[in-house]
Amino acid sequence: MDRLERLNVFVRVVDCMSFTRAAESLSIPRSTVSTAVKDLESTLGARLINRTTRALDITEEGQLLYKQALLLLEDYERLTGAFPAEAGRPSGKLRINVPGRLGRRVLVPALPDFLDRYPDIDIQMGVTDRAVDLVGEGVDCVIRVGELADSNLIARPLGSLPLCNCASPAYLARFGMPKTIADLSAHRIVAFVSSISGSVESWEYQQGGRVESALLPARVTVNTAEALIAGALAGLGLTQVPRYDVQHHLESGRLVSILPSTVPDPMPITLLYPHREHMTRRLEAFIDWVVPVLQSQVLRSSNQEP
């Protein structure tokens, strides 16, 4: 392992605050990570990390090296991309994480195009709706839907995801078609509990230029988009979902749009990554590719009129 590789290992250890997680994220043995850090300390003649059985403590020298190593690795990444022989050929493993339905229905089917364009990039895709620790889990970027909590991550807005109120014909035949917000009091919903917040989401609607919310009764509560849509198809209640997720059901008549004029504002969809200063060329390639894919299949531009 050369000095630049040792620096990269050291940076990952600091990011993860764990030798084990750093090794997992780099797909190398933990012993290799430990040896790389020890070799760096021997070369520099300074203690970089104090190790205990419970935690790591980055020394003052280690913090200084970390900051300089980030800049050095960034410069190296840019340098290798500056030569014609490397132009358009970013390489390496890219670790991304995307929401379940978006990954399965849109991104995975589209990946052959990305892999054909970038034959030297391998994709490791996590498909989950849970919160992801990018640094601790060694993930390069995530795509998330909805409002975001404050964080130190770099956030790139990709657009907005239109919503749809819908129900099955069988449910509407039994309970009637709601024509006003007041009619909702006679209806129930398939409720959704967020895997991030742990709270049950209320029914939102537009009224008088404002977004309001109502807690409608539900006999079934689920925690995945698949189950939410399946519940609506089974006639268990009304539901609110991203329109792209049910467009084919609307077209086939298995679901029916209800109260379209009251649909709440589209949900923002955002790409998040850790370091603006240390974005790799493979991550840049993925962002350049994924934006038009999402725009063409699921998104409405942020500045597009409703």
Side-chain angles (χ1 to χ4, degrees), residues 50-87:
N50 289 319
R51 308 156 182 82
T52 69
T53 56
R54 294 187 176 182
L56 301 182
D57 177 46
I58 311 304
T59 66
E60 185 176 342
E61 291 80 4
Q63 293 172 2
L64 175 62
L65 179 64
Y66 174 77
K67 294 177 182 178
Q68 295 302 315
L70 281 178
L71 297 175
L72 179 61
L73 291 168
E74 175 197 359
D75 288 342
Y76 177 76
E77 189 77 33
R78 289 176 178 172
L79 178 63
T80 56
F83 294 90
E86 291 294 322

Side-chain angles (χ1 to χ4, degrees), residues 65-133:
L65 179 64
Y66 174 77
K67 294 177 182 178
Q68 295 302 315
L70 281 178
L71 297 175
L72 179 61
L73 291 168
E74 175 197 359
D75 288 342
Y76 177 76
E77 189 77 33
R78 289 176 178 172
L79 178 63
T80 56
F83 294 90
E86 291 294 322
R89 295 295 295 264
S91 62
K93 181 178 289 186
L94 185 67
R95 296 172 177 83
I96 63 178
N97 193 282
V98 300
R101 294 281 292 181
L102 192 66
R104 287 184 283 272
R105 287 183 49 80
V106 177
L107 295 180
V108 170
L111 273 182
D113 174 63
F114 178 83
L115 298 177
D116 286 344
R117 292 190 196 186
Y118 303 102
D120 298 325
I121 297 179
D122 295 329
I123 294 289
Q124 181 176 314
M125 180 183 290
V127 180
T128 178
D129 297 310
R130 69 173 176 83
V132 173
D133 178 1

Side-chain angles (χ1 to χ4, degrees), residues 15-50:
D15 283 342
C16 297
M17 289 304 289
S18 165
F19 280 70
T20 300
R21 289 200 297 269
E24 291 173 350
S25 69
L26 293 169
S27 300
I28 60 177
R30 187 190 184 285
S31 58
T32 302
V33 171
S34 181
T35 299
V37 173
K38 288 179 181 178
D39 288 347
L40 263 181
E41 290 178 327
S42 177
T43 299
L44 298 173
R47 187 77 166 177
L48 303 175
I49 300 175
N50 289 319

